[in-house]
Amino acid sequence: VPALGVVTRIDGDGADFGKALADVESSLKIRPVALHLPIGAGPGCTGIVDLVTMKVHLADPKVFAKWTEGEVPAALKPQVEPLRTAMLEAAAESDDELLGKYLDGAALTVDEIYRGLAAGARAQKFLPVACAAAKIGVGVRELLELAVRAFKSQGQDLQHLKGWVAESGEGRWTVQEAIDRDAPAPVTTL
């Protein structure tokens, strides 16, 4: 069964993504492979870099869970490039076809990267690690997209799954309205 690590509260006091990755390796005895890189540290976190797509997702401080996508700024490239290279190598090493393509110098597509990451995670060669800051709404959507991708890569159809909400009146209405309007809604799940 593939697993995914998630470093949460990247916008909290004392947040240190690099230390969290090192702790994963020392505690779990498995190589962490970053999928995201926080932009800024702790309360100064303003978004993430998606290392697979090489896009920046910047939080909108005025609207919860709204972000804008952009290109990786040149100032972040020195931090991003080593993590992206490590991620690409991990994905390629997990699939002979991808390894050949990577060694030939050809670029891997986003789908190929995810395929390699899923294969490596299934074989427990490494642990893909994402990050999120629920308070500012960064990384949450990306995590949901990772889950959908993981199910689809396993040939699972998600169409039969339906949401469930306890009969709490306002809670059910909030969730249903958010679904109907395709809008983000702060909810707690257990």
Side-chain angles (χ1 to χ4, degrees), residues 17-143:
F17 187 66
K19 182 180 179 322
L21 292 177
D23 288 348
V24 165
E25 189 158 23
S26 65
S27 300
L28 301 178
K29 308 294 184 226
I30 191 165
R31 175 175 50 134
V33 174
L35 303 179
H36 303 141
L37 175 68
I39 300 171
C45 179
T46 58
I48 63 171
V49 176
D50 183 325
L51 297 170
V52 176
T53 63
M54 287 301 284
K55 296 290 183 184
V56 170
H57 299 169
L58 294 172
D60 182 335
K62 296 178 182 154
V63 181
F64 174 76
K66 183 177 180 187
W67 46 263
T68 57
E69 184 175 270
E71 300 301 317
V72 177
L76 287 176
K77 296 271 183 174
Q79 291 174 278
V80 169
E81 290 302 329
L83 291 173
R84 173 147 169 102
T85 298
M87 183 211 46
L88 289 172
E89 288 173 355
E93 291 169 0
S94 301
D95 182 298
D96 290 339
E97 178 188 335
L98 298 180
L99 182 59
K101 184 175 179 179
Y102 183 76
L103 292 175
D104 287 341
L108 300 180
T109 67
V110 168
D111 286 336
E112 289 171 333
I113 294 168
Y114 281 122
R115 186 177 88 207
L117 291 171
R122 257 191 317 278
Q124 298 181 349
K125 293 180 178 180
F126 53 80
L127 178 66
V129 180
C131 63
K135 193 184 290 184
I136 61 173
V138 171
V140 177
R141 181 176 180 176
E142 292 84 346
L143 286 173

